[in-house]
Amino acid sequence: MENGGMTRGNQGSTRDRELTMVGRETETAEIMRRLATDRCHSEVLILTGEPGAGKSVLLDFAAARARREGSRVLRAVGSESEAHLGFAGLHQVLRSVLGELDSLPARQHSALRAALGLSECTQAPDGMLVGLAVLTLVSELAEPAPLLVVIDDAQWIDRASLDVLSFVARRMDSEPVTLLLGVRAAAVLPGFDKGYERLDIGPLSGEAANRLLDRQPAPPVGRTRVRVLQEAAGNPLALIELARAAATRQPDGGTVEGPLPVTDRLERIFAQHARLLPDVTRRSLLLLAAADATDAPTAHRGLPQADDETWAPAERAGLVRRDGSRVSFRHPLIRSAVYHAASFEERGHAHLALAELLSEEPDRRAWHLAAATTRPDEDVSAALRQTADRARRRGGYAAAAAALERAAELSPSRADQARLLTEAAAMAVFTGQLDWVDRLAAEVRGRSDDPALISRASLATGRLMALRRHHAAAFALLTRIAEEAADTRSPRLLEALAAAAVVRYYSGEESQRQHIEKLLGAVPDATVRDALRAWVPAVSDPYGAGASLVPALPGLIAEAKDDADSLTALTIVAWILDQTALAARTFDEAFDRWQARGSLPDGLGCAVGWAYLEQGRWAEARSVAAEISAVASVAGLDHAEACAHVLDATALALLGESADARRGAERALVLVDPLESRSVAVFARRALGLAATAEGDYDTAYAQFRSAFTDDGDPVHYHVSYTLLAELASAAARLGRRKDAADLLERSARRLGTGVSARVTALVDRGRALLAEPEHAERYFRAALADDTGEQWPFERAQTRLDYGEWLRRRRRIAEARPQLIMALDTFRRLGARPWTERAQAELRAAGITAADGVVPSALTELSPQQQQIVRLAARGLTNREIGESLFLSPRTVGSHLYRVFPKLGITARSQLRDVIEGPLSGTGTQI
């Protein structure tokens, strides 16, 4: 008997069977290359193919080969019945190593146990902490020998588990870990749909197909053979089963008349085999099909033992295989065929029997009860609600939403149905699946007249729409919800306005600010919450209504304490109002609290990255961008992904990686409609302008910066455009276009009025200095540098010092120029701003000072952003494990990075890292 292109021949050894895989020599060679035991890096390979192509056989081959070579193997098989059980797939993967969880750091240990349902938790564990726990565990398991993780039928692995696996896959860099995933060709695999190599398991060649037929117990001949080859179209399973069907219909080897079943009807073949079995065997097969035998061993208590003769007819029919104490279907299609060939009544009895057997596993029990139920049933609905609550507390939002939706279907009360569907919509938001959220919201509207429920469900849709590209539609929906809430004086009004303010920020549409301002006046005092009350005006009108909030922000943040929603909102407000140090500090201190809110990028989710960028923490800003981009890409949130791309592009431009910066900015512009996402458009133009500045292309730089304002000089975006004023002035001054730029600058200053931040004031003063007549420039330079709070924006501060130093040198005030230029150079070197470093060095040489190249500092800037982060944290004395927890890397990966960067930095010991980071500019004589 053969399976998917692998012949078992005379039932010899496993090795013999592996060597007789037919027509898959290229594929097996590729897999063997990934399993090399001398590697010190990770591998991720996705096997794709149609059902029956042989993916499972190849994965079995890989697992057997890895075990024989001394590697450890972890396995999981996706199952339709478990697709809604949060972290079920992860539990399968880790089932054999649960005893080793105790070696994890305490926070990781608690988070992973909570996610796996091994301990109770009061709130959802941090998804990134769960991922880090699995990454750390995988790293430790791979310490003695390489590790292979095999996931078959990955299209049926639950979403929470896939998220963890993709998190780990992105960070396995230095781990000797191979991850192999088998997935059906047409299936979408969130988290693995981009950036990973795929091995397509296509049809067998004609020669291989003939070889496979020759190895069948009764090879077809003549016209029947030709038809089998034609209709199987190279699918190994189809070749085997069609040959078997032909032999059954014409056992004497003659020609079979009439049509043969084709590949998409293979299930019917299996169902026919099952119908010919004894009743006791068919009942056992159905129970096995209704259960997930690989992850619910308890269910086997209701099945005959593997050595029971009940299974013999099914084994002879090629439906199951017996391996020691385990009985399993030979192919997922067989399981599906057996299950769907049974009547609903038969399936119901099987599910009820499993529910009884799984009394100690409440989540599986609830879903089996639901599968056996067609009419409203309050008890089953209640069981599903409890399942949803457990999934939510473990961070399994997709599982929670699915359970709530099914609970609503089975609830006898129409009011309860609407309430449960509303809760399901709120949970589904965290999956990023807008169609699902929108459908749930529509069902709420169809089942309830309660305005509170309807608005809450609609609000879930609106919030998710804000992360996509069609902001006009999102704003219309959110303001409609707000207007309805205002009519009923509902507390939902402020929540709707808060979400609408996000859309206003993204779109930059002035009429939206006016609409929000009008509705904000209708908010009842009794429903005002300080965080949301601050959020709405600050986000929609930061230089107007929002400016007065600055003095109150520290107190509001202190009052928010452990309220993750309020704390996040207030910290983003701090960033928007240019309280950058406060924002970054609060982001750092409260990281755990808002990570528990879910992995989906919320409104203005890139704010933390912008705060880090403005503070000079560029590597951390890039890490934020990478995380948001990955999550948003998986969820199809194009606007959120675009925001992440422009953040990363800006950092790249500052580092002097102009080509990469342009690619990132242009990718962002493709993802959005610039007229509906003006914030992204202006941020992208800023990144493109900085990239051009880094290359000395001031014509392009000026054009990009100027595009942040209309022809009349009005800002394209009410917040972002003003951050380009100084850059615009700098490019204009170099091109001799001072008058046009000065007119625009002064028009902007008048529009901004007196409610501007210290940052914007400094940018305006720098712009005025660059555009002023020589006799008037110095007072503006001094004004731009006068406020010590400007130190929280080190790059912008260094730019002003460089400009001022250059101005002083050209007026032969060399002694005054040197300190400004030295401080600018020191900052640029520390940040890794290569083009600006080179410019500052040139200015210092012109001032009579040779700036030493500084081998170590320049080498530091050549490291990747992640390596720079690791070096900086190690220089502060953190251990590899502590650095790993901070950056969501395994300790081994941290150690590997340090091992590789030490030679690049010219050091040999960890104790020398502080000198690399903090060492002064040095030299002798006329050097610094």
Side-chain angles (χ1 to χ4, degrees):
M1 181 178 69
E2 296 178 272
N3 182 12
M6 174 175 167
T7 179
R8 294 182 181 269
N10 60 3
Q11 300 296 312
S13 69
T14 300
R15 181 174 179 82
D16 292 336
R17 295 198 299 270
E18 289 174 2
L19 293 175
T20 56
M21 227 169 334
V22 175
R24 297 301 185 199
E25 293 78 13
T26 300
E27 291 86 347
T28 53
E30 181 66 19
I31 291 171
M32 288 171 65
R33 183 177 69 81
R34 310 287 177 141
L35 299 177
T37 55
D38 58 348
R39 58 190 166 79
C40 57
H41 61 278
S42 65
E43 296 276 0
V44 178
L45 183 64
I46 302 172
L47 279 63
T48 64
E50 297 298 332
K55 302 183 297 297
S56 298
V57 174
L58 288 166
L59 293 175
D60 287 343
F61 160 78
R65 177 64 179 253
R67 288 193 181 98
R68 190 167 61 249
E69 297 294 334
S71 296
R72 193 164 194 170
V73 179
L74 302 179
R75 298 199 67 169
V77 180
S79 165
E80 284 180 285
S81 68
E82 299 224 331
H84 294 316
L85 290 174
F87 297 107
L90 185 62
H91 187 274
Q92 272 199 71
V93 173
L94 301 180
R95 182 177 52 196
S96 64
V97 295
L98 292 177
E100 302 188 44
L101 266 56
D102 292 341
S103 65
L104 295 172
R107 291 172 65 244
Q108 297 179 32
H109 178 262
S110 298
L112 184 53
R113 282 185 59 84
L116 295 176
L118 301 176
S119 62
E120 291 296 324
C121 53
T122 57
Q123 62 180 15
D126 175 2
M128 293 183 73
L129 198 56
V130 173
L132 179 58
V134 176
L135 178 62
T136 302
L137 182 62
V138 162
S139 176
E140 292 177 351
L141 292 172
E143 186 70 38
L147 175 69
L148 172 65
V149 181
V150 177
I151 311 293
D152 199 1
D153 279 323
Q155 72 278 355
W156 289 326
I157 293 290
D158 64 280
R159 180 62 182 273
S161 296
L162 276 180
D163 288 344
V164 171
L165 290 169
S166 64
F167 176 97
V168 172
R170 293 195 301 271
R171 291 166 177 79
M172 292 195 306
D173 186 32
S174 302
E175 313 295 339
V177 178
T178 298
L179 174 60
L180 298 181
L181 301 104
V183 61
R184 290 192 178 181
V188 175
L189 201 60
F192 292 95
D193 52 345
K194 297 177 184 177
Y196 296 105
E197 289 189 53
R198 290 179 172 251
L199 180 62
D200 184 35
I201 314 302
L204 294 176
S205 67
E207 180 271 334
N210 272 295
R211 277 196 288 133
L212 182 57
L213 288 180
D214 286 339
R215 298 186 185 189
Q216 298 308 302
V221 296
R223 194 155 55 108
T224 300
R225 187 184 186 94
V226 171
R227 291 172 56 210
V228 167
L229 289 167
Q230 288 176 340
E231 297 185 26
N235 183 288
L237 184 62
L239 285 162
I240 294 168
E241 294 306 328
L242 293 178
R244 184 190 300 274
T248 301
R249 294 172 64 176
Q250 194 62 265
D252 60 1
T255 298
V256 176
E257 301 299 335
L260 289 172
V262 294
T263 304
D264 61 358
R265 282 183 273 166
L266 283 175
E267 282 186 314
R268 298 185 187 179
I269 297 175
F270 296 132
Q272 179 62 35
H273 290 332
R275 278 194 292 270
L276 300 176
L277 299 175
D279 288 346
V280 65
T281 302
R282 284 198 306 108
R283 286 194 297 270
S284 297
L285 278 177
L286 180 55
L287 198 63
L288 184 64
D292 181 0
T294 60
D295 196 32
T298 308
H300 278 292
R301 292 203 302 260
L303 291 168
Q305 297 296 313
D307 58 0
D308 194 297
E309 282 305 303
T310 298
W311 297 113
E315 187 175 28
R316 286 193 295 272
L319 301 178
V320 300
R321 63 164 63 94
R322 292 190 281 182
D323 183 8
S325 62
R326 182 169 174 257
V327 179
S328 60
F329 286 106
R330 195 164 53 81
H331 192 277
L333 286 177
I334 303 175
R335 179 177 184 267
S336 177
V338 168
Y339 183 81
H340 291 290
S343 68
F344 179 82
E345 184 179 10
E346 290 173 323
R347 295 199 300 266
H349 286 310
H351 283 295
L352 288 174
L354 287 167
E356 182 70 24
L357 290 167
L358 297 169
S359 59
E360 296 181 1
E361 298 185 50
D363 294 337
R364 290 186 173 83
R365 176 179 179 274
W367 279 107
H368 280 298
L369 289 172
T373 306
T374 56
R375 298 176 180 177
D377 188 311
E378 178 57 32
D379 290 339
V380 178
S381 179
L384 286 167
R385 294 197 297 271
Q386 292 170 1
T387 287
D389 187 55
R390 283 187 291 270
R392 177 191 57 77
R393 284 188 276 117
R394 292 161 54 194
Y397 299 107
L404 287 167
E405 183 178 16
R406 183 65 173 132
E409 293 171 356
L410 295 177
S411 175
S413 165
R414 191 174 180 84
D416 285 344
Q417 291 171 12
R419 178 180 55 79
L420 291 168
L421 288 168
T422 302
E423 293 176 13
M427 286 293 102
V429 165
F430 289 100
T431 71
Q433 299 177 49
L434 180 59
D435 290 344
W436 188 13
V437 175
D438 198 30
R439 177 173 59 76
L440 291 168
E443 290 191 28
V444 173
R445 291 191 295 272
R447 297 176 191 232
S448 177
D449 297 324
D450 185 342
L453 288 178
I454 292 172
S455 65
R456 185 183 170 202
S458 299
L459 190 56
T461 302
R463 283 173 171 159
L464 199 51
M465 286 177 67
L467 298 174
R468 293 175 179 256
R469 61 186 296 161
H470 300 301
H471 290 128
F475 189 82
L477 172 61
L478 290 166
T479 49
R480 190 187 76 228
I481 296 168
E483 288 164 356
E484 293 170 353
D487 290 341
T488 60
R489 300 186 67 80
S490 165
R492 203 68 62 191
L493 169 57
L494 199 55
E495 293 181 41
L497 287 179
V502 173
V503 179
R504 147 72 172 159
Y505 187 91
Y506 288 156
S507 71
E509 176 60 49
E510 175 61 16
S511 63
Q512 293 179 356
R513 179 194 65 77
Q514 298 168 358
H515 202 157
I516 289 172
E517 189 175 287
K518 178 181 177 182
L519 286 167
L520 190 59
V523 176
D525 291 340
T527 66
V528 170
R529 288 166 51 196
D530 288 336
L532 286 184
R533 172 63 91 174
W535 171 275
V536 176
V539 172
S540 60
D541 188 17
Y543 298 127
S548 62
L549 293 166
V550 171
L553 269 177
L556 291 173
I557 288 173
E559 290 173 12
K561 294 181 181 178
D562 293 327
D563 183 346
D565 287 334
S566 296
L567 200 59
T568 302
L570 289 167
T571 309
I572 293 173
V573 166
W575 167 72
I576 287 177
L577 298 180
D578 285 328
Q579 301 301 299
T580 308
L582 175 63
R585 184 170 64 251
T586 311
F587 273 127
D588 289 340
E589 293 173 353
F591 180 80
D592 292 338
R593 276 166 280 180
W594 54 64
Q595 282 300 319
R597 299 166 71 243
S599 60
L600 192 72
D602 208 338
L604 298 178
C606 277
V608 61
W610 287 115
Y612 289 157
L613 186 88
E614 291 160 12
Q615 268 212 322
R617 297 161 62 177
W618 295 350
E620 290 169 85
R622 293 198 65 197
S623 291
V624 170
E627 288 299 331
I628 292 178
S629 176
V631 173
S633 175
V634 169
L637 305 176
D638 32 27
H639 179 86
E641 184 181 355
C643 289
H645 282 310
V646 292
L647 171 59
D648 192 55
T650 305
L652 286 166
L654 295 175
L655 290 165
E657 304 293 337
S658 296
D660 290 339
R662 278 192 290 271
R663 279 192 289 272
E666 289 163 0
R667 171 64 177 152
L669 290 171
V670 168
L671 286 167
V672 299
D673 178 346
L675 295 179
E676 291 210 43
S677 296
R678 292 182 180 89
S679 61
V680 166
V682 176
F683 270 130
R685 298 301 174 191
R686 179 186 175 196
L688 291 168
L690 287 169
T693 299
E695 295 178 326
D697 180 1
Y698 295 104
D699 283 305
T700 299
Y702 180 82
Q704 294 293 350
F705 296 140
R706 183 62 181 80
S707 69
F709 298 86
T710 67
D711 291 342
D712 294 332
D714 293 331
V716 171
H717 189 272
Y718 63 93
H719 183 245
V720 186
S721 288
Y722 294 122
T723 65
L724 279 68
L725 284 170
E727 300 293 353
L728 173 63
S730 178
R734 290 179 178 275
L735 296 173
R737 306 183 66 168
R738 282 184 166 83
K739 185 179 185 309
D740 290 343
D743 289 345
L744 189 152
L745 180 68
E746 295 307 324
R747 179 185 177 93
S748 297
R750 288 192 299 273
R751 178 185 286 269
L752 286 167
T754 59
V756 295
S757 66
R759 179 192 180 199
V760 173
T761 298
L763 292 175
V764 170
D765 283 333
R766 179 190 168 213
R768 284 170 168 160
L770 291 166
L771 298 171
E773 294 299 324
E775 63 271 20
H776 301 303
E778 186 166 17
R779 69 186 178 97
Y780 292 121
F781 277 127
R782 289 183 175 276
L785 294 169
D787 192 339
D788 288 341
T789 62
E791 297 296 337
Q792 63 187 300
W793 305 290
F795 179 76
E796 293 169 5
R797 189 82 157 180
Q799 284 181 298
T800 304
R801 285 184 170 130
L802 176 58
D803 291 335
Y804 186 27
E806 182 181 39
W807 184 89
L808 288 167
R809 182 192 62 76
R810 290 181 178 178
R811 275 140 196 85
R812 300 187 183 281
R813 294 163 60 179
I814 304 299
E816 295 172 81
R818 286 174 177 174
Q820 298 295 337
L821 294 173
I822 289 170
M823 285 188 286
L825 177 58
D826 181 50
T827 299
F828 292 142
R829 275 183 170 174
R830 176 171 56 83
L831 296 176
R834 180 178 50 77
W836 287 267
T837 297
E838 293 170 355
R839 182 181 152 200
Q841 287 173 329
E843 284 297 324
L844 275 168
R845 284 194 295 271
I849 297 177
T850 300
D853 288 338
V855 175
V856 169
S858 65
L860 180 63
T861 64
E862 294 299 319
L863 303 182
S864 71
Q866 187 177 80
Q867 288 172 334
Q868 290 182 44
Q869 285 180 282
I870 291 170
V871 166
R872 294 182 191 281
L873 292 173
R876 287 164 46 188
L878 275 67
T879 66
N880 287 1
R881 176 162 279 190
E882 290 168 336
I883 295 170
E885 286 222 36
S886 297
L887 303 182
F888 297 99
L889 299 170
S890 73
R892 184 206 295 267
T893 296
V894 173
S896 177
H897 278 302
L898 288 173
Y899 177 81
R900 292 199 298 268
V901 303
F902 274 23
K904 296 179 182 179
L905 299 176
I907 62 175
T908 57
R910 202 179 185 105
S911 59
Q912 296 173 282
L913 288 173
R914 183 176 294 276
D915 292 335
V916 171
I917 301 301
E918 300 178 358
L921 300 175
S922 61
T924 59
T926 58
Q927 294 186 336
I928 59 169

